[in-house]
mmCIF file of all heavy atoms in Angstrom:
data_model
loop_
_atom_site.group_PDB
_atom_site.id
_atom_site.type_symbol
_atom_site.label_atom_id
_atom_site.label_comp_id
_atom_site.label_asym_id
_atom_site.label_seq_id
_atom_site.Cartn_x
_atom_site.Cartn_y
_atom_site.Cartn_z
ATOM 1 N N GLU S 1495 2.641 16.126 12.501
ATOM 2 C CA GLU S 1495 2.529 16.333 13.944
ATOM 3 C C GLU S 1495 1.260 17.116 14.240
ATOM 4 O O GLU S 1495 1.231 18.347 14.186
ATOM 5 C CB GLU S 1495 3.771 17.065 14.469
ATOM 6 C CG GLU S 1495 5.053 16.268 14.345
ATOM 7 C CD GLU S 1495 4.966 14.921 15.052
ATOM 8 O OE1 GLU S 1495 4.380 14.872 16.160
ATOM 9 O OE2 GLU S 1495 5.475 13.927 14.506
ATOM 10 N N ALA S 1496 0.205 16.382 14.513
ATOM 11 C CA ALA S 1496 -1.082 16.992 14.832
ATOM 12 C C ALA S 1496 -1.920 15.962 15.574
ATOM 13 O O ALA S 1496 -1.645 14.756 15.516
ATOM 14 C CB ALA S 1496 -1.803 17.449 13.563
ATOM 15 N N THR S 1497 -2.919 16.425 16.271
ATOM 16 C CA THR S 1497 -3.814 15.530 16.992
ATOM 17 C C THR S 1497 -5.265 15.935 16.740
ATOM 18 O O THR S 1497 -5.536 17.056 16.308
ATOM 19 C CB THR S 1497 -3.550 15.571 18.510
ATOM 20 O OG1 THR S 1497 -3.692 16.919 18.974
ATOM 21 C CG2 THR S 1497 -2.145 15.066 18.831
ATOM 22 N N GLY S 1498 -6.157 15.020 17.015
ATOM 23 C CA GLY S 1498 -7.576 15.309 16.870
ATOM 24 C C GLY S 1498 -8.029 15.539 15.455
ATOM 25 O O GLY S 1498 -9.039 16.212 15.221
ATOM 26 N N LEU S 1499 -7.323 14.979 14.491
ATOM 27 C CA LEU S 1499 -7.671 15.188 13.086
ATOM 28 C C LEU S 1499 -8.851 14.308 12.680
ATOM 29 O O LEU S 1499 -9.066 13.230 13.230
ATOM 30 C CB LEU S 1499 -6.473 14.865 12.197
ATOM 31 C CG LEU S 1499 -5.235 15.754 12.371
ATOM 32 C CD1 LEU S 1499 -4.062 15.176 11.607
ATOM 33 C CD2 LEU S 1499 -5.532 17.169 11.920
ATOM 34 N N ALA S 1500 -9.603 14.782 11.702
ATOM 35 C CA ALA S 1500 -10.684 13.974 11.135
ATOM 36 C C ALA S 1500 -10.075 12.779 10.400
ATOM 37 O O ALA S 1500 -9.054 12.909 9.719
ATOM 38 C CB ALA S 1500 -11.515 14.816 10.178
ATOM 39 N N THR S 1501 -10.675 11.614 10.539
ATOM 40 C CA THR S 1501 -10.178 10.414 9.869
ATOM 41 C C THR S 1501 -11.270 9.836 8.982
ATOM 42 O O THR S 1501 -12.468 10.045 9.206
ATOM 43 C CB THR S 1501 -9.736 9.348 10.882
ATOM 44 O OG1 THR S 1501 -10.856 8.969 11.687
ATOM 45 C CG2 THR S 1501 -8.616 9.875 11.767
ATOM 46 N N ALA S 1502 -10.842 9.092 7.983
ATOM 47 C CA ALA S 1502 -11.790 8.471 7.055
ATOM 48 C C ALA S 1502 -12.079 7.044 7.506
ATOM 49 O O ALA S 1502 -11.159 6.279 7.798
ATOM 50 C CB ALA S 1502 -11.204 8.454 5.645
ATOM 51 N N PRO S 1503 -13.340 6.652 7.551
ATOM 52 C CA PRO S 1503 -13.668 5.254 7.864
ATOM 53 C C PRO S 1503 -13.248 4.353 6.706
ATOM 54 O O PRO S 1503 -13.501 4.664 5.543
ATOM 55 C CB PRO S 1503 -15.191 5.274 8.039
ATOM 56 C CG PRO S 1503 -15.656 6.484 7.305
ATOM 57 C CD PRO S 1503 -14.549 7.480 7.366
ATOM 58 N N LEU S 1504 -12.588 3.252 7.033
ATOM 59 C CA LEU S 1504 -12.098 2.340 6.010
ATOM 60 C C LEU S 1504 -13.065 1.173 5.863
ATOM 61 O O LEU S 1504 -13.514 0.583 6.849
ATOM 62 C CB LEU S 1504 -10.700 1.830 6.374
ATOM 63 C CG LEU S 1504 -9.646 2.916 6.636
ATOM 64 C CD1 LEU S 1504 -8.283 2.280 6.914
ATOM 65 C CD2 LEU S 1504 -9.543 3.884 5.468
ATOM 66 N N GLY S 1505 -13.385 0.831 4.613
ATOM 67 C CA GLY S 1505 -14.328 -0.241 4.338
ATOM 68 C C GLY S 1505 -13.652 -1.453 3.735
ATOM 69 O O GLY S 1505 -12.499 -1.771 4.058
ATOM 70 N N ARG S 1506 -14.354 -2.123 2.830
ATOM 71 C CA ARG S 1506 -13.853 -3.314 2.165
ATOM 72 C C ARG S 1506 -14.110 -3.199 0.667
ATOM 73 O O ARG S 1506 -15.177 -2.747 0.248
ATOM 74 C CB ARG S 1506 -14.551 -4.576 2.690
ATOM 75 C CG ARG S 1506 -14.303 -4.877 4.146
ATOM 76 C CD ARG S 1506 -15.070 -6.118 4.606
ATOM 77 N NE ARG S 1506 -14.525 -7.326 3.996
ATOM 78 C CZ ARG S 1506 -15.155 -8.042 3.070
ATOM 79 N NH1 ARG S 1506 -16.345 -7.659 2.630
ATOM 80 N NH2 ARG S 1506 -14.606 -9.140 2.579
ATOM 81 N N SER S 1507 -13.120 -3.627 -0.104
ATOM 82 C CA SER S 1507 -13.318 -3.640 -1.556
ATOM 83 C C SER S 1507 -13.712 -5.020 -2.048
ATOM 84 O O SER S 1507 -14.154 -5.175 -3.190
ATOM 85 C CB SER S 1507 -12.035 -3.200 -2.263
ATOM 86 O OG SER S 1507 -11.019 -4.185 -2.126
#
Side-chain angles (χ1 to χ4, degrees):
E1495 295 303 320
T1497 57
L1499 296 170
T1501 61
L1504 305 183
R1506 296 178 69 250
S1507 69

